[in-house]
Amino acid sequence: MENQPDLKNTSANPFEVLERGVYAALETYSNVHRGSGHFSMVTTHLFEQAREIILEYFGLDKRKYIVIFCSPRGAEELKKMLNPKDYQSISGNDFGLRLGVRALAVLRKALPKGAPVHPGGGTARLFAPGWVIWSEAPERFEAGTPAIINIIALAIAVREKHKKGEWNFNHFKGTQSSVHEIVYTDELTNYSGKDYSDQLRKTLIGRGMQVPGCNR
């Protein structure tokens, strides 16, 4: 596929790699992965490539292990059903990134049978009143719409960690922002009224577009 980010391409500055990779993924992002549209196919490719990067980091055989992406709570619930020797896990928290996702590399034969921990979109292959045919792993353990961009960011970060050993994103304290700064401030914070509308228009795609009204 052309014009897609290569999650395995790295350079000297991991923050630049992370930012560049996330922006590139967003250019062709589709919230519906495993679909037939071009953007869906690109997003699906990156999503699946993230599994390969996690397995490569752990040095595990993809024929024997499978990577499942979970929320923190989902990961803990799945771990309770597994023997500790049958899986390895990693998250952005392990090296200074709060991404809200966990990656579990699980021995295929150790995966629990039957209904998944969290049933939802993608976990069922076919169903009718009274019965369900569940999907195979990993889909059976990845209910609903996964945090695709977060997972891609995790894969890029893991790749950087793999290259640099114990290198940690927390080493760059100056790059971190508070929750308040992230949610309530942006480049338009100091504008209001017509000036705000004029500046907002510059951020939109297209010409002669109406911009949302505001009371700023």
Side-chain angles (χ1 to χ4, degrees), residues 38-195:
H38 174 69
F39 282 9
S40 290
M41 293 172 66
V42 173
T43 299
T44 300
H45 176 79
L46 295 177
F47 187 72
E48 297 304 323
Q49 190 180 46
R51 299 188 205 278
E52 297 176 14
I53 290 173
I54 301 298
L55 288 176
E56 180 181 288
Y57 173 76
F58 286 128
L60 299 174
D61 187 342
K62 65 180 180 181
R63 294 170 297 181
K64 297 181 179 179
Y65 286 82
I66 192 165
V67 172
I68 297 169
F69 295 112
C70 309
S71 66
R73 179 189 171 199
E76 292 306 312
E77 293 188 10
L78 181 54
K79 286 179 181 179
K80 292 176 183 177
M81 306 171 70
L82 300 168
N83 189 314
K85 67 180 179 62
D86 291 332
Y87 71 85
Q88 296 188 55
S89 67
I90 194 169
S91 75
N93 291 355
D94 296 332
F95 41 95
L97 289 175
R98 309 302 190 252
L99 297 172
V101 294
R102 303 285 187 274
L104 269 64
V106 185
L107 192 65
R108 288 178 182 270
K109 65 181 182 180
L111 286 168
K113 307 297 183 183
V117 177
H118 295 292
T123 61
R125 186 168 54 185
L126 191 64
F127 63 91
W131 57 268
V132 177
I133 298 177
W134 300 107
S135 298
E136 298 297 326
E139 291 91 339
R140 184 157 53 95
F141 300 97
E142 295 176 344
T145 302
I148 296 171
I149 295 299
N150 301 52
I151 289 167
I152 290 172
L154 174 63
I156 297 170
V158 166
R159 185 67 180 187
E160 284 299 295
K161 181 176 173 65
H162 194 190
K163 278 190 63 179
K164 297 174 173 61
E166 295 304 315
W167 197 87
N168 195 308
F169 280 81
N170 274 333
H171 291 173
F172 291 81
K173 297 295 184 182
T175 64
Q176 296 182 349
S177 300
S178 69
V179 173
H180 185 276
E181 290 173 326
I182 294 171
V183 175
Y184 295 108
T185 64
D186 57 27
E187 66 273 17
L188 303 181
T189 298
N190 296 324
Y191 294 95
S192 62
K194 186 178 183 300
D195 289 338

